[in-house]
Amino acid sequence: MATILAALVPVIFNHRFYFYDDTQIGAYPIWREIGEMLRSGQWPFFSAEGWQAGNYAAEGQWGIFSPLTLGIGLASTFFTNALVFSTLVKVALLATASIGIYLVSRNLGARAPWAFVAGVASTLAGFTVYLDSPSWVTGLMVWAFLPFVWWSLRRMCYQQKSPLPVLITGYFLVTVGYVHGTIMMVLLFVAVIVELLVRRKWKPLVKTVSTGILLGLVALAVYLPGVLTLRSTARTQVVANTNFLTVDLTGLAGSALPSNLPQVASWWWGPFAPAPLTYIAWFLPLFALVNFRQLRRLTPGIASVPVFLLLSLMLTLAPSDLGPLRTPVRLMPYVCLATIVLLCVALSLARVRKVSGVRWVSTAAVFIGSVYLGWTGKPELWTVSARMVLIMAVGFALTAVALRLIRAKSKADGVVAAVLVATSLALAFPQHYYFPNPPVQDFKLPADTSKYSTQLSGAKGQAVVVGTPSALDPSIWTESLVGNMWYLNPGSVHNLYSPIQNAAYSKDLCIASRGETCKELSTKLFEIDPTSGKPLADLLRVDTVQIVRDAADPNGAELAKAVPPSGWSVASRTPNTVMWTRNVPLGSVGAPVYASEGTEIEPVSNSSSQVTFKVDEVPASGGTVTLGRIAWPGYTADGATIVDPLRGYLLTVNVAPDMAGKTVTVSFQPPGWTLEIASLAAALLLGAAWSVVHALRGRRRSGSPDGPSSLADRPAGNDPSASAPHPSPDPSLRSGGAEPEYALRKEDK
């Protein structure tokens, strides 16, 4: 409940907070399209009409194997308000993450109050609040499921529990299709493996590696299409540092100050982020209360936490471009998660018995140092920081009083946890008062989905929108749209959102990732292609062109001069747009658009993934046929040979002379599709078999009169208030039935 309340604070100051940027023009309309396809009996696989955005398997983030994404998509069709639905999804994901963080913290040995602190505070970290939650929802999805993977993995290793929860939660994470989340899951497995090696736990090590292999097979099915398609995309494949969305140690130094604006360059103007992206938690100075000597003795049992923290930090500080992987700062939520969990576990297991004056001075020094470093970045925000510091000081004072006056550790922990969470919630109000907006774009598109049916009214066939609608006043959305919001419109357009883009297509049409184009495209569409002798618009099967007024043409003088070419007519004209339609529409996107001289063909059938045509005539030297679709890797031709694409991206096949009178079928499957489906099936079958075998063995063990009960299933003893069994960080720390080193001392009971 505390997490839900915290998640609703941003909405008080900005009701559109969870409907920004990529959620607005990317994720939400994808969900809606997925839902509509599922309700009509289709599986979101591939769309020729989507052009560079239609390769769903290569895009990955369509989540075509994801129960989570498919379920959200289906649910979205029952809502008519995109803003409300997006907000509900984001709040639900934050609450889910909070539960997972609580569970893994408890499993690592944290007392219930401290696990509660970790669960709430992790969802309030700056990057999660200001970027993943408002915009990059796929990042939020995978982050929300990683704690469950961690928790279930440790239960499998130390409590002999079924591998099924690990496999299910891992499957949910991987199939979202957000590669950074899968990378972080791999690092988590590495961290757990290190922990098992340190503890010399060989059987759990084998289980962990086996689980990793099965989830690797799932990842193969999800990501191999993208890898095999990479050569044709616009993704960079170099290692470089442009400083775009990178963070350094200086930016992390003030991570305890909720108003710290780090030096992170991005879409915004200036070297500083306009929101506290590197904020972790205000109570980080409480690390000074940890008995590190005692913690060091316990470290082998919780080694996965510092190892995962170190690996996450190293990757977060990496260069901006690691081949196709960009902006490593998006891994900041994992640094926050590991840091907060480590602190809460450490304060549960190894807090100093009596807080000395020196400890409080150290806490104050860390607090003042963090505040100072946060203030030096943007000293003009001193009044904002001062208000934050005042609230933090009160929180620390109440914490000190509770630790000094309450001798029973269990009661002190409960009071301190309440103070920390209450202070965190209190800080969220001024934080969002001064920084109410995410540092990404709000396109101000309408929330009511019924308002997306009138754009391109009167259009024919497939359309191309020329220009940058988002550069104009939001009133433009009554006439045009941007990105995947076109999925909510009955029309069919080229201008969809694609994070991978087809390199040759996007260059030829000067079309950006979110579907907006340069103004020169209105002329280029009608230029004659030298090979085919046809206008580019014909090759692209375009029957409608909408030209949007350029922002540099405020009076619309340039737009008023736009005259359609021969064979086209003006269908509508406003101060902001002009729409041309073809007098005789071509239609049939994806069908053959050009045959070389002497080659005559007759179309037979055409669908998104398959085209069939009959060859009537072919010259002795053979001929070529070009189709109105992008030549993605994965196309095969029965009766022809795929050759170099026209203009670098239009699918072209070579027809042999002996094919006259025969048919040619061109089909698409994601590259490596047979291997991918086989790997997915193998992962599911092997995982199910392993889980069944484990269940049967467990039933035999429980039915045996001499069968030993697992010590790990007993209460750990470190939280007498817990009514349910609670695993210790590592049951092997017990010896001869003795309490582990971190158990409650007699005087604390």
Side-chain angles (χ1 to χ4, degrees):
M1 181 58 70
T3 298
I4 293 175
L5 292 175
L8 294 177
V9 171
V11 180
I12 297 173
F13 301 96
N14 180 353
H15 74 284
R16 292 175 64 90
F17 189 86
Y18 292 111
F19 192 56
Y20 266 67
D21 198 48
D22 279 9
T23 291
Q24 194 173 139
I25 67 165
Y28 173 77
I30 283 178
W31 295 338
R32 191 60 179 253
E33 178 72 0
I34 287 173
E36 296 294 350
M37 293 178 73
L38 290 175
R39 291 185 67 173
S40 64
Q42 303 176 60
W43 182 46
F45 172 72
F46 180 79
S47 171
E49 288 188 355
W51 290 89
Q52 70 172 357
N55 197 343
Y56 305 150
E59 294 271 5
Q61 294 180 50
W62 272 72
I64 60 176
F65 299 118
S66 170
L68 176 63
T69 304
L70 298 177
I72 291 174
L74 195 59
S76 71
T77 61
F78 296 97
F79 286 77
T80 59
N81 191 297
L83 170 61
V84 170
F85 183 77
S86 298
T87 300
L88 291 174
V89 169
K90 307 293 184 65
V91 172
L93 288 171
L94 289 168
T96 300
S98 182
I99 294 170
I101 295 166
Y102 175 87
L103 291 173
V104 74
S105 298
R106 290 283 282 152
N107 190 275
L108 286 159
R111 298 169 183 270
W114 288 107
F116 172 65
V117 171
V120 177
S122 296
T123 64
L124 291 170
F127 199 94
T128 296
V129 170
Y130 280 98
L131 275 181
D132 278 355
S133 294
S135 177
W136 296 341
V137 65
T138 44
L140 184 64
M141 287 177 177
V142 293
W143 179 79
F145 276 94
L146 186 110
F148 288 95
V149 176
W150 198 349
W151 167 70
S152 55
L153 184 58
R154 285 183 56 86
R155 291 177 80 245
M156 181 187 72
C157 291
Y158 292 134
Q159 296 174 258
Q160 293 78 49
K161 297 295 185 180
S162 170
L164 188 59
V166 192
L167 296 173
I168 291 176
T169 55
Y171 182 89
F172 268 72
L173 189 156
V174 172
T175 54
V176 168
Y178 191 73
V179 68
H180 291 83
T182 302
I183 291 171
M184 296 313 295
M185 190 184 73
V186 171
L187 295 186
L188 174 63
F189 269 75
V190 170
V192 172
I193 287 172
V194 170
E195 180 178 297
L196 295 172
L197 288 172
V198 170
R199 298 300 305 162
R200 297 184 179 180
K201 296 286 189 179
W202 308 123
K203 287 184 178 179
L205 179 63
V206 173
K207 290 182 180 180
T208 300
V209 173
S210 301
T211 304
I213 291 173
L214 293 180
L215 292 177
L217 291 174
V218 177
L220 186 70
V222 174
Y223 296 111
L224 187 58
V227 172
L228 297 179
T229 305
L230 189 61
R231 69 178 186 273
S232 65
T233 70
R235 284 283 188 175
T236 79
Q237 300 183 45
V238 298
V239 176
N241 190 5
T242 63
N243 287 324
F244 183 83
L245 272 180
T246 58
V247 66
D248 54 24
L249 290 174
T250 303
L252 294 174
S255 57
L257 183 64
S259 58
N260 174 38
L261 303 184
Q263 294 190 52
V264 177
S266 189
W267 308 278
W268 46 79
W269 292 102
F272 292 93
L277 300 182
T278 56
Y279 169 63
I280 297 178
W282 70 274
F283 52 84
L284 291 184
L286 293 183
F287 265 115
L289 303 186
V290 175
N291 184 334
F292 287 97
R293 182 177 299 177
Q294 182 181 358
L295 183 64
R296 189 161 53 248
R297 294 197 301 270
L298 301 174
T299 295
I302 58 171
S304 58
V305 186
V307 172
F308 183 64
L309 173 58
L310 177 62
L311 295 175
S312 301
L313 184 60
M314 290 175 62
L315 201 52
T316 301
L317 296 172
S320 62
D321 295 274
L322 295 174
L325 303 177
R326 302 178 297 181
T327 59
V329 71
R330 70 183 68 207
L331 302 178
M332 187 67 199
Y334 300 93
V335 174
C336 300
L337 167 64
T339 301
I340 293 172
V341 168
L342 178 61
L343 174 57
C344 291
V345 170
L347 289 173
S348 289
L349 304 183
R351 194 176 77 228
V352 292
R353 182 175 180 180
K354 183 178 181 181
V355 184
S356 64
V358 174
R359 290 279 181 175
W360 282 121
V361 169
S362 300
T363 303
V366 175
F367 169 53
I368 294 171
S370 182
V371 168
Y372 175 77
L373 291 171
W375 168 77
T376 55
K378 294 285 285 185
E380 60 269 30
L381 294 179
W382 71 270
T383 56
V384 179
S385 298
R387 290 174 172 84
M388 300 283 191
V389 169
L390 180 61
I391 297 173
M392 294 164 69
V394 171
F396 282 123
L398 293 174
T399 300
V401 170
L403 293 177
R404 185 173 182 84
L405 298 181
I406 305 175
R407 293 190 57 81
K409 190 171 184 179
S410 59
K411 293 182 179 179
D413 282 347
V415 173
V416 171
V419 169
L420 298 187
V421 170
T423 306
S424 299
L425 290 173
L427 286 167
F429 283 89
Q431 185 183 63
H432 286 282
Y433 175 79
Y434 290 109
F435 311 108
N437 302 322
V440 286
Q441 188 169 357
D442 178 8
F443 294 89
K444 300 189 184 302
L445 284 152
D448 185 351
T449 57
S450 67
K451 296 184 178 180
Y452 291 90
S453 60
T454 58
Q455 298 83 358
L456 289 185
S457 179
K460 301 177 182 178
Q462 191 163 56
V464 166
V465 178
V466 177
T468 308
S470 64
L472 303 182
D473 185 89
S475 62
I476 189 64
W477 305 135
T478 61
E479 302 177 48
S480 191
L481 294 171
V482 64
N484 287 338
M485 276 303 187
W486 282 113
Y487 282 124
L488 276 65
N489 184 272
S492 172
V493 301
H494 280 249
N495 308 74
L496 298 169
Y497 176 79
S498 171
I500 61 172
Q501 299 182 268
N502 181 277
Y505 170 90
S506 61
K507 183 179 180 180
D508 197 25
L509 272 66
C510 59
I511 188 169
S513 61
R514 63 191 190 193
E516 295 178 309
T517 78
C518 62
K519 63 181 181 180
E520 290 78 14
L521 182 59
S522 61
T523 301
K524 188 171 186 177
L525 283 170
F526 301 99
E527 292 178 354
I528 302 300
D529 173 70
T531 300
S532 64
K534 294 188 174 186
L536 177 58
D538 289 11
L539 297 175
L540 297 176
R541 275 299 198 258
V542 173
D543 289 326
T544 299
V545 175
Q546 183 188 65
I547 305 173
V548 177
R549 176 177 62 82
D550 190 75
D553 179 30
N555 297 322
E558 185 177 345
L559 182 67
K561 298 176 183 177
V563 178
S566 176
W568 293 69
S569 303
V570 175
S572 66
R573 185 183 291 275
T574 73
N576 287 323
T577 64
V578 60
M579 187 171 73
W580 302 337
T581 55
R582 194 187 293 267
N583 295 340
V584 181
L586 298 176
S588 195
V589 175
V593 294
Y594 163 70
S596 60
E597 186 176 357
T599 302
E600 299 289 338
I601 63 169
E602 180 182 345
V604 175
S605 64
N606 177 34
S607 67
S608 267
S609 58
Q610 189 176 89
V611 178
T612 300
F613 58 87
K614 181 182 178 183
V615 181
D616 292 332
E617 293 183 26
V618 187
S621 59
T624 60
V625 177
T626 297
L627 311 178
R629 54 179 65 214
I630 289 180
W632 292 111
Y635 273 106
T636 57
D638 181 14
T641 305
I642 293 177
V643 294
D644 290 341
L646 182 65
R647 300 183 73 89
Y649 61 89
L650 286 171
L651 182 63
T652 302
V653 297
N654 184 72
V655 181
D658 60 356
M659 286 301 296
K662 301 178 181 178
T663 59
V664 172
T665 299
V666 181
S667 306
F668 176 83
Q669 280 189 341
W673 192 239
T674 301
L675 173 61
E676 291 147 15
I677 294 299
S679 68
L680 184 64
L684 295 175
L685 292 174
L686 291 173
W690 183 10
S691 301
V692 169
V693 169
H694 180 277
L696 293 176
R697 286 181 176 177
R699 184 175 298 176
R700 283 198 294 269
R701 283 197 300 267
S702 63
S704 172
D706 301 321
S709 61
S710 172
L711 184 62
D713 290 333
R714 302 176 189 170
N718 63 333
D719 186 3
S721 64
S723 58
H726 168 52
S728 66
D730 187 345
S732 67
L733 292 176
R734 298 176 182 264
S735 176
E739 289 294 320
E741 294 175 307
Y742 54 81
L744 285 173
R745 296 179 292 274
K746 290 181 180 179
E747 57 267 33
D748 291 328
K749 293 184 180 178

